[in-house]
Amino acid sequence: QVQLVESGGGLVQAGGSLRLSCAASGRTFSMLTMGWFRQAPGEEREFVAAISRSGIITYYADSVKGRFTISRDNAKNTVYQQMNSLKPEDTAVYYCAADRDGEVAVNVRDYDYWGQGTQVTVSS
């Protein structure tokens, strides 16, 4: 079992930045592929970014490419998401997810564990 706890959400003006963190426990963190997803009101949960076990491979949704950066610190059992140049359309609950299989994945169904989510609100 893996427990994931997100932090770092909040209210920011358009063009601003936030850094999300997700602390993991309960399983060897370095064996997990990690991802960030988001869900806006009335919308389906969508992929944002993913990072491989080693951190070498990253993958982003087109909507955030060039603005968001996913990273991980295996010594701290933590994955991060730096979000720059935020837009009102980035407003959503952001979820951290972990995949036991080790492959970088973009689908909700590929992930085995989920955090409780953290709200990000971008005002115009």
Side-chain angles (χ1 to χ4, degrees):
Q1 195 70 9
V2 175
Q3 293 77 44
L4 303 172
V5 179
E6 302 97 335
S7 61
L11 174 64
V12 64
Q13 289 188 332
S17 298
L18 283 174
R19 189 195 195 201
L20 304 183
S21 299
C22 173
S25 61
R27 191 180 178 102
T28 304
F29 182 71
S30 61
M31 298 301 293
L32 300 169
T33 295
M34 301 299 296
W36 286 99
F37 288 75
R38 66 187 181 187
Q39 188 167 17
E43 302 290 332
E44 293 188 352
R45 194 168 296 189
E46 66 173 4
F47 170 78
V48 177
I51 188 166
S52 63
R53 295 168 172 173
S54 64
I56 293 174
I57 299 172
T58 57
Y59 192 73
Y60 298 93
D62 288 342
S63 59
V64 306
K65 203 172 293 183
R67 299 188 299 122
F68 290 12
T69 302
I70 188 172
S71 61
R72 66 189 296 162
D73 185 338
N74 286 347
K76 295 183 177 179
N77 290 354
T78 302
V79 62
Y80 306 96
Q81 180 161 273
Q82 178 67 40
M83 305 186 298
N84 299 329
S85 302
L86 283 161
K87 305 174 181 179
E89 51 263 45
D90 294 318
T91 295
V93 177
Y94 282 72
Y95 295 91
C96 172
D99 177 8
R100 293 174 302 193
D101 293 335
E103 298 296 326
V104 174
V106 304
N107 296 307
V108 170
R109 64 178 179 271
D110 292 321
Y111 286 81
D112 304 294
Y113 306 103
W114 293 85
Q116 82 288 349
T118 186
Q119 177 71 47
V120 171
T121 302
V122 184
S123 63
S124 57

